[in-house]
Amino acid sequence: MPSYDFRGPRLFVDAPLAQDGRVELDRDQSNYLGNVLRLAAGAEVLAFNGRDGEWQAAIEGRKRPDSLVILQQTRPQDRLPDLAYVFAPLKHARLDYMVQKAIEMGAASLQPVLTRFTQASRVNTERMRANVVEAAEQCGILSIATVAEPMPLERFLSQRAAGRLLIFCDEAAGLENPIQSLQGAQAAEGIDVLIGPEGGFAEEERALLLRQPKILRLALGPRIMRADTAAVAALALVQAVLGDWRRKMA
C-alpha cells in the first residue's frame, strides 16, 4: 500500500511543480490556509497538480499566505484506471456526495447523461469540478478526474468508442452473482459504468443500451438502491474485479 501523510493538509494548485519552484496562491487558497487552517509563513503543506506528483511545500507571506516554495517530491505522479462513471444527474447534496464517492473509488472521468426520468436537467459542472478537487485533496489522490458537460444518453451512446466495455447497471436485470459476471467480461479499451436515474430507464432506453457492442448488463443485488448508493456499489465491484484494486493487491 502507498504511504500517505494524512496529518498534513493537501492543496491542489493549477501550476507546474518542481523543486525550488514558487507557486502564487489565489485568494481562496490564501484564505483557506491562513484563516481556515490558521497556517502562517514557514508551515508546510503537500501540493499537487494532477501532473507532476505530490510535493512538500512551505508557505510564504508576511500578513497572509501568498505563495508556496516547492521543497521536495513526496510521491511521483500516478495514473487513474481508464474508468468513466456515466450517470443521470441527481439534485444538490446527493450529486455532491455521488461525485465525491466516485472520485474516491478511482473514476478517471465523470459524464452526466440526460434520460427520460432524470431528476435534474440542469447540472452545475463547475460545482462538480470543485467537488472532484476537494475529494482528491482529502483522500490522497494525485490525479484529477475530468468532468464532461451533460449530454442526452442517446448522444453519449452514439459517440462512445466501440472498443470500451459498457457496464450497464440495471435493476431489471436477472439476479446473478455480479462478481462472476464481471470476471467473465472480455478485455476492453476502457470501461464505462452507467447508473440510471431514480425512476430507472425507459423501455426504449433499455432496448437501445442492450444493442450496444461490448455491453455487460449487471444487477447490484436483490434490493433497489438509491442512485448515489448504486454508484458506490458498482464502482467498488468494478474496481475489485477489473480495475486497479485488483492489480495493486496482486
Side-chain angles (χ1 to χ4, degrees), residues 4 78-86 96-110 131-132 135-136 138-143 145 191 193 195 225 227-249:
Y4 299 132
D78 62 7
R79 293 182 61 187
L80 292 170
D82 190 359
L83 175 63
Y85 180 56
V86 186
D96 294 344
Y97 172 88
M98 187 170 67
V99 169
Q100 292 164 3
K101 299 312 165 188
I103 298 310
E104 293 177 36
M105 291 289 169
S109 61
L110 304 178
N131 275 300
V132 166
Q138 293 179 352
C139 297
I141 297 169
L142 296 181
S143 299
I191 301 174
V193 176
I195 298 288
M225 299 178 182
D228 44 350
T229 307
V232 177
L235 290 169
L237 284 168
V238 171
Q239 283 285 56
V241 179
L242 301 176
D244 62 359
W245 294 9
R246 171 182 57 88
R247 289 196 293 272
K248 291 182 179 180
M249 293 187 293

Side-chain angles (χ1 to χ4, degrees), residues 11-25 29 47-57 67-71 73 77:
L11 187 69
F12 171 77
V13 294
D14 189 14
L17 295 174
Q19 190 165 357
D20 299 326
R22 180 173 272 98
V23 175
E24 299 297 322
L25 298 173
Q29 292 170 329
F48 70 106
N49 61 8
R51 304 183 299 274
D52 300 322
E54 181 184 75
W55 293 76
Q56 191 175 24
S67 63
L68 299 177
V69 175
I70 309 305
L71 303 177
Q73 190 177 60
Q77 185 62 41

Side-chain angles (χ1 to χ4, degrees), residues 205-220:
E205 293 170 337
R206 181 175 285 107
L208 177 61
L209 285 163
L210 294 176
R211 292 197 298 269
Q212 300 302 305
K214 295 187 77 69
I215 186 167
L216 174 62
R217 190 183 187 193
L218 195 68
L220 296 177

Side-chain angles (χ1 to χ4, degrees), residues 74-243:
T74 55
R75 285 190 288 159
Q77 185 62 41
D78 62 7
R79 293 182 61 187
L80 292 170
D82 190 359
L83 175 63
Y85 180 56
V86 186
F87 60 95
L90 301 175
K91 294 181 179 179
H92 309 305
R94 291 181 58 202
L95 178 59
D96 294 344
Y97 172 88
M98 187 170 67
V99 169
Q100 292 164 3
K101 299 312 165 188
I103 298 310
E104 293 177 36
M105 291 289 169
S109 61
L110 304 178
Q111 174 62 70
V113 291
L114 305 178
T115 70
R116 175 183 289 189
F117 301 127
T118 295
Q119 294 180 341
S121 58
R122 299 181 64 183
V123 181
N124 187 338
T125 52
E126 287 304 312
R127 178 168 176 152
M128 286 178 57
R129 293 185 182 98
N131 275 300
V132 166
V133 169
E134 181 179 352
E137 288 177 335
Q138 293 179 352
C139 297
I141 297 169
L142 296 181
S143 299
I144 300 297
T146 61
V147 177
E149 293 297 322
M151 66 173 64
L153 174 64
E154 294 81 359
R155 187 192 306 167
F156 166 74
L157 294 175
S158 69
Q159 293 179 357
R160 63 184 297 272
R164 297 179 64 84
L165 174 64
L166 176 60
I167 298 177
F168 163 37
C169 299
D170 185 7
E171 69 277 4
L175 291 178
E176 298 180 0
N177 186 321
I179 294 177
Q180 291 180 355
S181 297
L182 289 166
Q183 288 172 336
Q186 297 180 351
E189 301 169 4
I191 301 174
D192 299 329
V193 176
L194 172 63
I195 298 288
E198 296 284 289
F201 291 101
E203 284 306 314
E204 63 270 20
E205 293 170 337
R206 181 175 285 107
L208 177 61
L209 285 163
L210 294 176
R211 292 197 298 269
Q212 300 302 305
K214 295 187 77 69
I215 186 167
L216 174 62
R217 190 183 187 193
L218 195 68
L220 296 177
R223 289 166 291 279
I224 300 298
M225 299 178 182
R226 288 168 47 145
D228 44 350
T229 307
V232 177
L235 290 169
L237 284 168
V238 171
Q239 283 285 56
V241 179
L242 301 176

